[in-house]
Amino acid sequence: MLRFLLIQLTQFQKRFIDLLRISIFLVMLWIGGLKVFPYEADGIVPFVANSPLMGFFYNKPAPEYQQYKNPEGKEVAVNKAWHVANGTYVFSYALGAVIVTIGLLLFMGIFFPKIGVLGGLLTFGMSLVTLSFLISTPEVYVPNLGGDFPTEYFGFPYLSGAGRLVLKDVIMMVAGLICASDSAQRIINKS
């Protein structure tokens, strides 16, 4: 029985990699699509503003955004005006389009291996950029809030919710390489 299961797992490997492509596409479609909504655009500001790779896309300097944070699901008029002036929403729309496009390229690797190689490598590259936020964004670690019950559990390695969200891109990075490798193997097998 165990041997049968092992054989079945190996025989379905190609289908599992295609399911991986589909799952990554769904994640990128959903997350990229959400970039058109102000709450999502506002939410990525700490990552982009502090990033040496992306900060130049905004018009305002990095620490300034902290004064204009909108609570998730709520818009404050003065904060929204700041985000418009910062270029927050325009950048978010463009980033969403890029994310959806990369996901689509990866998905198309099911049918077109050359496009799949590109999609896999772009997924890898996008994940590297996202993981760089663990170095550049202060909000990815639990802050020292002090108070009546001070704790030693702040800063590195204690990830905040934002940090846990970013760390998951390690999986996306490796999945992109697996998909690119599979597509490359299919190209080689055809030649």
Side-chain angles (χ1 to χ4, degrees):
M1 180 66 175
L2 177 61
R3 181 164 173 73
F4 174 78
L5 178 62
L6 294 174
I7 291 169
Q8 291 302 304
L9 285 172
T10 61
Q11 289 177 345
F12 284 107
Q13 184 176 18
K14 168 70 176 98
R15 290 187 182 146
F16 293 152
I17 292 174
D18 286 345
L19 284 174
L20 181 61
R21 286 183 176 97
I22 293 167
S23 65
I24 293 171
F25 171 65
L26 289 174
V27 169
M28 289 186 174
L29 179 65
W30 197 333
I31 290 175
L34 286 175
K35 297 289 185 263
V36 302
F37 296 101
Y39 89 94
E40 177 68 16
D42 294 351
I44 64 171
V45 169
F47 301 113
V48 177
N50 288 296
S51 172
L53 303 172
M54 301 173 80
F56 67 91
F57 285 113
Y58 286 160
N59 300 321
K60 308 281 184 177
E64 191 175 319
Y65 68 86
Q66 294 176 347
Q67 304 167 50
Y68 300 98
K69 289 182 178 181
N70 281 318
E72 195 167 52
K74 182 178 180 184
E75 289 183 15
V76 177
V78 68
N79 294 353
K80 185 168 183 170
W82 183 90
H83 284 289
V84 169
N86 184 43
T88 298
Y89 303 119
V90 172
F91 173 76
S92 187
Y93 302 152
L95 179 61
V98 168
I99 292 170
V100 170
T101 300
I102 292 171
L104 186 58
L105 292 171
L106 189 74
F107 172 76
M108 290 174 61
I110 294 171
F111 312 103
F112 307 103
K114 289 180 183 176
I115 295 173
V117 170
L118 178 62
L121 292 177
L122 288 172
T123 299
F124 172 79
M126 181 188 75
S127 298
L128 279 179
V129 171
T130 303
L131 288 167
S132 75
F133 299 153
L134 291 172
I135 298 168
S136 63
T137 307
E139 286 87 348
V140 300
Y141 297 102
V142 174
N144 183 0
L145 299 177
D148 295 336
F149 302 101
T151 176
E152 67 274 9
Y153 303 112
F154 64 88
F156 180 84
Y158 305 105
L159 294 170
S160 66
R164 293 188 299 271
L165 177 74
V166 169
L167 185 61
K168 290 189 286 188
D169 262 43
V170 169
I171 299 166
M172 186 80 80
M173 180 179 67
V174 175
L177 287 177
I178 289 168
C179 292
S181 174
D182 176 70
S183 292
Q185 184 65 55
R186 289 170 42 217
I187 292 168
I188 290 170
N189 289 347
K190 282 186 178 181
S191 55

